[in-house]
Amino acid sequence: MNFDCKELVQLFERCFLNDFNTVLVPGAEEPEYLPADETSPHHRILFTRDYFRSALHEISHWCVAGPQRRLLPDFGYWYAPDGRTAQQQQAFEQVEVKPQALEWLFCEAAGHPFRVSLDNLSGEPTDPLPFKRKVVAQVHACLAEGVSERPQRFIQALLDCYRPGVQLTANAFRLDRI
């Protein structure tokens, strides 16, 4: 399947530009969220180069962020780059469970492969299994309890665009798939 980021940008804007004044912007060296300011009338989700997964991951962070956080650059979140200690990695994983669960739902809706990201290639090695289990549990909780309006709107748009007629079910979200 062809995963065209231009199509994804348009899909996101159809879903969210009018209600949330937010656009998806490809081509960044590093992903970043920028609220509207003197340089742009729109809030901007910048994603790395033209990587489809980068876009879905950054959208998932936007979906987790509440209204106040969406007024702050990078939602006001702490971030330590690659090379984290085991303690920093644990803190990173705590805040990444919900975004990565949403990213997996987005990937599945689009028919795009998903893999959890520990994002710490040169840091202290840690066991990825506990984090993977938490992501699986979070996805199952989302499916059982329902996701909030913004991610649900985007999941449905992805399904309609890439996998018409498909419904997401818990059996697609198993530990052996990530």
Side-chain angles (χ1 to χ4, degrees):
M1 181 178 291
N2 181 23
F3 295 101
D4 182 356
C5 287
K6 290 177 186 169
E7 182 176 56
L8 187 63
V9 166
Q10 293 169 352
L11 184 68
F12 182 86
E13 288 184 13
R14 282 194 305 270
C15 286
F16 301 114
L17 180 58
N18 289 337
D19 292 346
F20 295 94
N21 190 34
T22 304
V23 295
L24 189 59
V25 181
E29 283 300 311
E30 291 292 327
E32 187 174 13
Y33 173 78
L34 299 170
D37 59 18
E38 64 279 349
T39 65
S40 173
H42 306 297
H43 305 298
R44 292 147 290 161
I45 301 170
L46 283 65
F47 66 97
T48 306
R49 296 178 183 83
D50 64 348
Y51 299 154
F52 198 85
R53 276 275 313 282
S54 174
L56 296 180
H57 183 77
E58 296 312 311
I59 293 166
S60 72
H61 277 288
W62 178 78
C63 285
V64 170
Q68 292 306 112
R69 286 216 178 254
R70 291 194 309 270
L71 298 176
L72 303 171
D74 274 340
F75 313 110
Y77 291 139
W78 162 88
Y79 179 76
D82 188 5
R84 291 184 287 275
T85 65
Q87 185 177 11
Q88 289 172 320
Q89 183 63 22
Q90 185 178 19
F92 169 83
E93 290 176 9
Q94 274 186 309
V95 299
E96 280 289 312
V97 170
K98 285 183 181 180
Q100 290 201 31
L102 286 179
E103 178 186 351
W104 193 4
L105 288 163
F106 297 160
C107 283
E108 190 67 25
H112 194 280
F114 172 79
R115 188 169 296 199
V116 295
S117 174
L118 299 176
D119 196 28
N120 199 29
L121 298 173
S122 64
E124 287 182 41
T126 57
D127 180 3
L129 193 56
F131 180 62
K132 288 180 177 183
R133 284 186 176 130
K134 289 176 185 174
V135 171
V136 170
Q138 182 64 49
V139 168
H140 284 243
C142 286
L143 290 171
E145 299 162 13
V147 295
S148 60
E149 191 272 334
R150 283 180 297 141
Q152 182 56 47
R153 183 188 303 188
F154 195 58
I155 288 167
Q156 192 59 57
L158 290 166
L159 285 168
D160 291 346
C161 181
Y162 295 102
R163 302 179 73 198
V166 170
Q167 290 187 330
L168 300 184
T169 60
N171 64 353
F173 300 94
R174 301 183 317 267
L175 189 59
D176 66 333
R177 292 197 60 217
I178 57 170

